[in-house]
Amino acid sequence: MAIYQIVKIGDPILRDKAKPVTKFNTSLEKLLVNMADTMYDAEGVGLAAPQIGVSKRVVVIDVGEGLLELVNPQLIEVEGEETAPEGCLSIPGRQGNVKRASRVKVRYQDRTGREMTIEGEGLLARALQHEIDHLDGILFVDKLVKE
Ligand code: ZN
C-alpha cells in the first residue's frame, strides 16, 4: 500500500491530455490500488491519474457504492442537466457550482483490458464527468456557473 502525493492546481500535468493505457499489466494494477488508497486517505470520491502526476487515462471513483476502476473511460451518452457544487482534491478549500449532465453512460476498460460500460446519475454521473475532464486537462474551476 502506498499513498501518493496529490498534485495541486498550477502544476502543468493537470493541464495535459493524458495518454491511453495500452498495457494491462501489474504496474497498472499497482497504480489502481495505490490510487484507491490515496483517494480514501484524502476522503475524496474520485481521483484521476494526472492528479498523482501520472499522465495516463486511469480513474478511480467511490461515491459510497463501492470502488470503481476505470481505464480509458469515455462518455458515450449524456442526458439532462444539473447544477451542483463540486470540489477537487487538487484544489483544496475551493468549491463551486458546475453544470453537468444528470445521467451519463461511460465506456471503459477494467484492469484486465475487458470492455465495460457503466451508467450513472446524480453524484456518480457528476464524479464520472469530473474525473474524465481531468484526463483532458480540464478542472472544475474552468466550468463554474454563476447563480
Ligand atoms: Zn478533481
Side-chain angles (χ1 to χ4, degrees):
M1 162 159 168
I3 307 294
Y4 294 118
Q5 180 109 28
I6 295 175
V7 169
K8 300 298 189 310
I9 189 167
D11 190 310
I13 197 162
L14 291 175
R15 294 305 191 174
D16 285 348
K17 208 171 153 64
K19 290 180 190 61
V21 171
T22 54
K23 288 182 186 144
F24 294 82
N25 54 18
T26 51
S27 76
L28 175 65
E29 278 172 34
K30 201 171 135 193
L31 176 67
L32 283 162
V33 168
N34 291 341
M35 280 176 62
D37 287 343
T38 303
M39 172 182 73
Y40 290 126
D41 180 67
E43 297 179 357
V45 298
L47 189 71
Q51 292 182 276
I52 50 108
V54 175
S55 197
K56 287 185 180 167
R57 304 188 80 79
V58 176
V59 162
V60 292
I61 289 174
D62 189 342
V63 295
E65 299 164 5
L67 177 64
L68 291 168
E69 300 176 335
L70 302 104
V71 180
N72 300 326
Q74 41 182 152
L75 288 173
I76 53 172
E77 281 175 38
V78 297
E79 210 185 299
E81 216 174 76
E82 209 169 78
T83 300
E86 279 182 30
C88 180
L89 294 175
S90 293
I91 313 174
R94 191 115 184 251
Q95 277 215 337
N97 281 320
V98 181
K99 193 197 291 181
R100 303 278 189 189
S102 51
R103 276 184 299 279
V104 299
K105 189 171 180 179
V106 171
R107 179 183 295 143
Y108 67 99
Q109 287 166 280
D110 71 8
R111 57 162 74 189
T112 69
R114 192 156 50 121
E115 292 272 355
M116 315 275 282
T117 58
I118 184 169
E119 287 176 60
E121 55 180 36
L123 183 57
L124 177 57
R126 182 162 296 273
L128 285 163
Q129 292 168 88
H130 178 116
E131 300 310 331
I132 291 171
D133 270 355
H134 271 299
L135 305 181
D136 293 320
I138 299 164
L139 302 174
F140 85 90
V141 288
D142 303 339
K143 295 188 160 180
L144 291 177
V145 294
K146 299 258 181 295
E147 279 164 283

